[in-house]
Amino acid sequence: MAMAHIKPFCYQDIRYALKLLKRAHARKGSRAAPLSRTFDLLVKGGSVVNQDGAGISDIGVIDGRIAAIGTLAGASAARVLDAAGLHVLPGVIDTQVHFREPGLTHKENLETGSRSAVLGGVTAVFEMPNTKPATTSAAALADKVARGRARMHCDFAFFVGATHDNVDELPELELLPGAAGVKVFMGSSTGDLLVDDEKTLARIFSRIRRRAAFHAEDEARLKERMSLQRDGDPSSHSEWRDARAAFATTERLVRLASQAGKRVHVLHVSTKEEMELLALHRDVASVEVTPQHLTLTVPEAYAALGTKAQMNPPLRDRHHQEGLWWGLSQGVVDVLGSDHAPHTLEEKSKSYPATPSGMPGVQTLVPVMLDHVNAGRLSLSRFVDLTSAGPQRIFGIAGKGRIAVGYDADLTIVDLKAERVIDNAWIGSKSGWTPFAGRKVKGWPIGTILRGQTAMWEGELGEAQGEPVRFGEALPSKKPTE
Ligand code: DOR
């Protein structure tokens, strides 16, 4: 077979690499990893799951980054974590949460939401803009970033909400530090963010460059069918916001994105037909599903949980759930997002339709999905693909999403054999409840390591040290060091 296209590794390359290493080592204070066997942290003996597959390995960390992977038998370290018997995964990134600060902090705030995240093994979150005020300006975004720094327990980025009035500012807003990109509500949900007319959507597409995230439900159809809501009967939520409302808007979204030549991320895909459609448009569209759409079905969920099962887009029946699992098994699904959308139990105890839509989920994403891994519904590698490599690939995250030298030492350490019952007392969210209370699961988050520091170990929290996630398309320029 002709190998001419592969550049042979030549003597010049080796000389150049050695020169770089020597120079790094000679620099005062330098701790260039390959020449050093002293680490800040050594994670020992875990089964590491990454782009190499799975195998027992040690991980050495220096200055918050992964410095070595392999058998590091003779190495010393300031701290050693014994991961024998555990699986060490790249830090789980949850790309859809609502943490409610500012303005709705009786439900959640950035500290409690992120506490819930790390208790559940999540190392970074992308937070949604439907706060009060909504995150639709540079000032609102900067305010959230300032509130999050060293107060949030995990790393974070914030979506900027598109409105009819801020379209011209979006190109600047989407590149600001801490911005995950633009979020568009094409159907109304909690809050008043909504852009559903094609003219404004086309304007948005013509201005932005990054992949934007969309809530796709057909607003006109939702308005038209409002009378299908039955007082006191949350199961009518799934009838009102039906599968056609989701499909019609996802179809429109894909058409507009293709016309504009722009990338879109379709949040919480809930129907079989959307999944089949999206499978045909992998060039422009990336796909999220939630653990709750994969795990709960109607009508059973309404019977068991009442208004706690109410969310947008709604939970669906088994036919649609099978379609989501089909998409997951066939590689159509790119990421899992929890759509952590906390409301208080008091708010949820009103009578439908006065009840708000949404349920907490950031803390239960890992155990609920590991239980599916143990049940054979997806592999552990696919779980890793969906929660770290997937988010990195579609959002262009810089330096996170892999266990690889030079990447942030974000690790989710799990015990695949641990059997526990999820209960409300474990939940760190201010809302204090989970739709999965009482569920027995196999697979549990034991440790959350954020840039080499312990954010959580066996349910105990470390210091809050959250920082903004960085993105390749919006990297800040650095002053030259030499
Ligand atoms: O159920 C939902 N709740 N879906 C959304 O899109 C928004 C969320 C919320 O913020 O409560």
Side-chain angles (χ1 to χ4, degrees), residues 247-380:
F247 180 79
T249 297
T250 296
E251 190 178 41
R252 190 152 69 110
L253 173 59
V254 167
R255 173 171 51 79
L256 290 171
S258 302
Q259 282 165 3
K262 290 286 157 74
R263 295 162 293 171
V264 293
H265 180 56
V266 191
L267 297 160
H268 38 45
V269 171
S270 62
T271 68
K272 179 173 185 275
E273 291 76 20
E274 284 172 286
M275 198 58 81
E276 288 167 353
L277 171 79
L278 290 163
L280 304 174
H281 296 278
R282 305 313 325 275
D283 51 349
V284 290
S286 55
V287 176
E288 175 197 81
V289 292
T290 73
Q292 51 273 42
H293 284 109
L294 289 169
T295 309
L296 305 172
T297 46
V298 301
E300 300 85 352
Y302 290 119
L305 298 165
T307 59
K308 286 184 189 159
Q310 177 192 336
M311 69 173 293
N312 301 331
L315 298 175
R316 310 272 183 212
D317 63 18
R318 201 158 289 283
H319 159 83
H320 290 297
Q321 191 178 74
E322 279 166 10
L324 304 186
W325 278 106
W326 170 83
L328 196 140
S329 74
Q330 297 299 301
V332 182
V333 180
D334 292 286
V335 298
L336 293 170
S338 73
D339 193 9
H340 176 84
H343 300 284
T344 66
L345 283 172
E346 199 189 333
E347 290 164 333
K348 281 288 196 183
S349 71
K350 291 181 182 158
S351 178
Y352 183 83
T355 38
S357 295
M359 52 182 89
V362 72
Q363 194 170 332
T364 47
L365 183 152
V366 171
V368 166
M369 292 308 299
L370 289 184
D371 191 57
H372 287 308
V373 169
N374 271 310
R377 293 189 193 102
L378 77 164
S379 68
L380 190 58

Side-chain angles (χ1 to χ4, degrees), residues 96 98 100 130 183 185 189-190 215 268 310-313 339 341-343 357-359:
Q96 190 187 181
H98 302 261
R100 311 299 192 202
N130 57 339
K183 158 83 184 271
F185 280 90
S189 191
T190 304
H215 179 122
H268 38 45
Q310 177 192 336
M311 69 173 293
N312 301 331
D339 193 9
H343 300 284
S357 295
M359 52 182 89

Side-chain angles (χ1 to χ4, degrees), residues 428-444:
S429 162
K430 202 166 183 178
S431 61
W433 64 277
T434 161
F436 298 110
R439 180 175 290 259
K440 192 171 169 210
V441 292
K442 189 169 179 189
W444 197 258

Side-chain angles (χ1 to χ4, degrees), residues 48-370:
V48 173
V49 185
N50 66 0
Q51 57 285 347
D52 258 352
I56 305 290
S57 211
D58 305 323
I59 299 174
V61 177
I62 294 176
D63 289 340
R65 299 226 173 121
I66 293 166
I69 308 164
T71 306
L72 305 172
S76 59
R79 275 184 315 132
V80 177
L81 273 180
D82 180 8
L86 303 175
H87 283 80
V88 181
L89 316 179
V92 168
I93 302 169
D94 183 348
T95 44
Q96 190 187 181
V97 302
H98 302 261
F99 281 176
R100 311 299 192 202
E101 181 177 346
L104 298 161
T105 51
H106 64 288
K107 298 174 195 271
E108 191 74 289
N109 63 47
L110 293 172
E111 192 276 323
T112 55
S114 61
R115 167 191 295 249
S116 196
V118 299
L119 284 168
V122 170
T123 55
V125 293
F126 292 5
E127 206 264 349
M128 287 294 161
N130 57 339
T131 44
K132 263 191 178 166
T135 322
T136 55
S137 66
L141 176 67
D143 176 50
K144 274 194 175 177
V145 172
R147 287 168 185 261
R149 246 186 234 281
R151 193 170 140 253
M152 287 179 72
H153 295 264
C154 59
D155 283 353
F156 53 81
F158 299 105
F159 279 104
V160 173
T163 69
H164 291 93
D165 302 324
N166 73 354
V167 178
D168 290 335
E169 285 113 66
L170 291 178
E172 208 179 298
L173 293 175
E174 69 174 349
L175 295 180
L176 289 175
V182 171
K183 158 83 184 271
V184 184
F185 280 90
M186 286 173 76
S188 53
S189 191
T190 304
D192 48 20
L193 286 172
L194 177 68
V195 178
D196 67 333
D197 65 289
E198 292 209 1
K199 215 168 133 213
T200 312
L201 289 164
R203 271 184 66 218
I204 292 172
F205 279 130
S206 75
R207 306 289 280 126
I208 61 172
R209 299 236 72 83
R210 290 179 72 180
R211 183 186 297 274
F214 290 78
H215 179 122
E217 281 186 287
D218 184 349
E219 185 63 16
R221 186 170 171 88
L222 297 185
K223 280 208 182 106
E224 219 174 84
R225 293 163 57 86
M226 206 86 159
S227 63
L228 291 176
Q229 296 177 333
R230 290 188 296 275
D231 282 346
D233 180 3
S235 75
S236 61
H237 195 68
S238 295
E239 293 165 39
W240 165 43
R241 303 181 83 115
D242 66 349
R244 247 181 84 186
F247 180 79
T249 297
T250 296
E251 190 178 41
R252 190 152 69 110
L253 173 59
V254 167
R255 173 171 51 79
L256 290 171
S258 302
Q259 282 165 3
K262 290 286 157 74
R263 295 162 293 171
V264 293
H265 180 56
V266 191
L267 297 160
H268 38 45
V269 171
S270 62
T271 68
K272 179 173 185 275
E273 291 76 20
E274 284 172 286
M275 198 58 81
E276 288 167 353
L277 171 79
L278 290 163
L280 304 174
H281 296 278
R282 305 313 325 275
D283 51 349
V284 290
S286 55
V287 176
E288 175 197 81
V289 292
T290 73
Q292 51 273 42
H293 284 109
L294 289 169
T295 309
L296 305 172
T297 46
V298 301
E300 300 85 352
Y302 290 119
L305 298 165
T307 59
K308 286 184 189 159
Q310 177 192 336
M311 69 173 293
N312 301 331
L315 298 175
R316 310 272 183 212
D317 63 18
R318 201 158 289 283
H319 159 83
H320 290 297
Q321 191 178 74
E322 279 166 10
L324 304 186
W325 278 106
W326 170 83
L328 196 140
S329 74
Q330 297 299 301
V332 182
V333 180
D334 292 286
V335 298
L336 293 170
S338 73
D339 193 9
H340 176 84
H343 300 284
T344 66
L345 283 172
E346 199 189 333
E347 290 164 333
K348 281 288 196 183
S349 71
K350 291 181 182 158
S351 178
Y352 183 83
T355 38
S357 295
M359 52 182 89
V362 72
Q363 194 170 332
T364 47
L365 183 152
V366 171
V368 166
M369 292 308 299
L370 289 184

